[in-house]
Amino acid sequence: MPDTASRPGMLEQDAQRLRAIGDWTLPHYARLKVAVAQAHETDSVDLSLLGELDTSGASLLVDLLGPDAIQEISDWAPGLPPERQALLKAVAEATRDRPAPPPVPRANPLASLASLGLIVEQLARQQWQLLAFIGLTLGTLATTLFVPRRWRITPLVAHVQQTGLNSIPIVALLTFLVGAVVAFLGATVLRDFGATIYTVNLVAYAFLREFGVLLAAILLAGRTASAFTAQIGSMKANEELDALRAQGLDPIELLVLPRVLAMTISLPILTLIGMLCGMLGGAMVCVIALDISTAQFIAIVQRDIPLTHFLVGIGKAPLFAFVIAAIGCVEGFKAEASAQSVGEHTTSSVVQSIFMVILLDALAALFFMEMGW
């Protein structure tokens, strides 16, 4: 046999058959793979000039000839050393048992539409779970409302302090600054029409109907809903909820109702504080920049602003509070026993709460506009 130990492996084709030449080893695998892919199908190859052979080269020969032809290699290539015949047969047997590669999926032009459908389905399932949890909470509230011994006064007061009293500084500061900004913007626009006096009406309308309750609700959604989710999610991760159920205690009655009632009490109070601080910020701008005295500001509010606007704003606060607290609690119950899951559901509770607050506020604005309130 000629010396082919130093020759790179290749696949040649003469007039009659294919011929494997040189070393069919791993260093030449890439080039040999291309040659095998371009070769026509055959059931035998001239292996008389074959040099070194390893499993990578043997797998290429099996791909070229097929496992059945390799099993009969002693008939059509009797001059091949027995150890190489054994190697080829072992590779062929392993290839025969190997499952066929899965088909490459085609690009689906409707894949984006299917993804959108999955997102919509997930959102619908999420809202359905929220509605079911709200129903469960209301049912538990109805069963405990007339049984004073089942009231949880201590946790209720603690959560009122956490959600309401501790939130007063940030709500007051934020609404004061937003009131000043609204007054500046209103004065800038109304000055061109010689109607800067109506800046008072703009600030009063904005904070009595919308900004007071909306800013307070968004702040509580980010501050308190996330705290509810993290607290209940951590309790679930530590199996404290299972311990409560094992003791015959209802987690809804013990954990959810105090939080929901505390939020329902706190948000109207914070809304009132936000209205007053927002109008105070607008009044400061009017006094400093527009030469409108405090007495004149108060007189215009008393004369031109009906009580209806205050009632519309304060009436939305309990609804927003209930929804925010329910979302924060249900996301906590949905968390799994891992820190990552608790973090994900905490983020989800904040996003859902803010979205639902803005959505309900928009629907309420349309309703009150149609009712003429």
Side-chain angles (χ1 to χ4, degrees), residues 50-363:
L50 182 64
E52 297 294 331
L53 180 67
D54 59 10
T55 53
S56 62
S59 65
L60 292 176
L61 289 175
V62 171
D63 292 339
L64 178 63
L65 298 169
D68 295 333
I70 293 295
Q71 294 299 331
E72 300 175 356
I73 192 171
S74 57
D75 297 334
W76 55 266
L80 192 67
E83 62 273 11
R84 295 189 178 180
Q85 293 187 19
L87 174 62
L88 287 170
K89 290 181 179 180
V91 173
E93 190 65 28
T95 304
R96 187 191 305 274
D97 297 335
R98 184 178 59 192
V104 179
R106 296 182 179 179
N108 188 358
L110 299 179
S112 58
L113 185 60
S115 301
L116 178 61
L118 291 176
I119 294 174
V120 173
E121 181 186 3
Q122 181 180 3
L123 291 175
R125 186 181 297 110
Q126 190 177 67
Q127 297 307 310
W128 183 258
Q129 292 175 348
L130 176 61
L131 288 176
F133 186 81
I134 289 175
L136 180 61
T137 303
L138 292 176
T140 306
L141 177 62
T143 58
T144 59
L145 186 61
F146 302 103
V147 186
R149 63 183 177 82
R150 297 174 64 179
W151 294 354
R152 307 286 176 176
I153 303 299
T154 302
L156 175 62
V157 174
H159 288 301
V160 168
Q161 178 184 6
Q162 176 190 354
T163 61
L165 183 62
N166 296 343
S167 301
I168 289 177
I170 184 63
V171 171
L173 177 61
L174 180 64
T175 51
F176 179 85
L177 296 176
V178 173
V181 171
V182 171
F184 271 121
L185 292 176
T188 302
V189 175
L190 295 174
R191 184 180 290 113
D192 297 335
F193 303 95
T196 53
I197 192 67
Y198 289 105
T199 303
V200 178
N201 301 67
L202 173 63
V203 173
Y205 274 110
F207 277 89
L208 289 178
R209 291 187 69 96
E210 298 295 337
F211 283 171
V213 62
L214 194 59
L215 291 175
I218 291 176
L219 280 174
L220 285 190
R223 183 182 183 277
T224 306
S226 59
F228 288 173
T229 303
Q231 291 165 2
I232 297 177
S234 298
M235 294 179 68
K236 185 175 181 181
N238 295 330
E239 299 183 356
E240 297 178 35
L241 298 182
D242 297 334
L244 290 176
R245 294 189 180 97
Q247 297 175 35
L249 299 175
D250 184 6
I252 301 296
E253 178 182 341
L254 190 65
L255 302 176
V256 176
L257 287 185
R259 288 172 167 81
V260 171
L261 294 177
M263 182 78 84
T264 307
I265 294 171
S266 300
L267 187 55
I269 299 174
L270 293 175
T271 298
L272 178 60
I273 294 173
M275 292 176 179
L276 295 176
C277 291
M279 295 175 65
L280 181 61
M284 182 192 69
V285 173
C286 291
V287 170
I288 295 176
L290 304 179
D291 294 329
I292 300 175
S293 65
T294 305
Q296 188 178 5
F297 186 95
I298 296 175
I300 293 174
V301 171
Q302 291 178 339
R303 183 192 66 199
D304 296 340
I305 309 301
L307 183 62
T308 305
H309 301 302
F310 169 76
L311 296 178
V312 166
I314 204 71
K316 293 185 288 187
L319 176 61
F320 291 172
F322 186 87
V323 171
I324 292 172
I327 291 175
C329 292
V330 72
E331 288 298 318
F333 281 105
K334 288 162 62 177
E336 299 176 357
S338 66
Q340 180 180 359
S341 177
V342 173
E344 291 174 352
H345 285 282
T346 300
T347 303
S348 176
S349 69
V350 174
V351 174
Q352 287 186 61
S353 300
I354 295 176
F355 173 77
M356 290 301 296
V357 164
I358 296 176
L359 176 62
L360 291 175
D361 186 71
L363 295 177

Side-chain angles (χ1 to χ4, degrees), residues 35-60:
V36 169
Q38 296 175 349
H40 62 78
E41 295 183 0
T42 182
D43 57 357
S44 65
V45 174
D46 184 2
L47 303 179
S48 60
L49 299 180
L50 182 64
E52 297 294 331
L53 180 67
D54 59 10
T55 53
S56 62
S59 65
L60 292 176

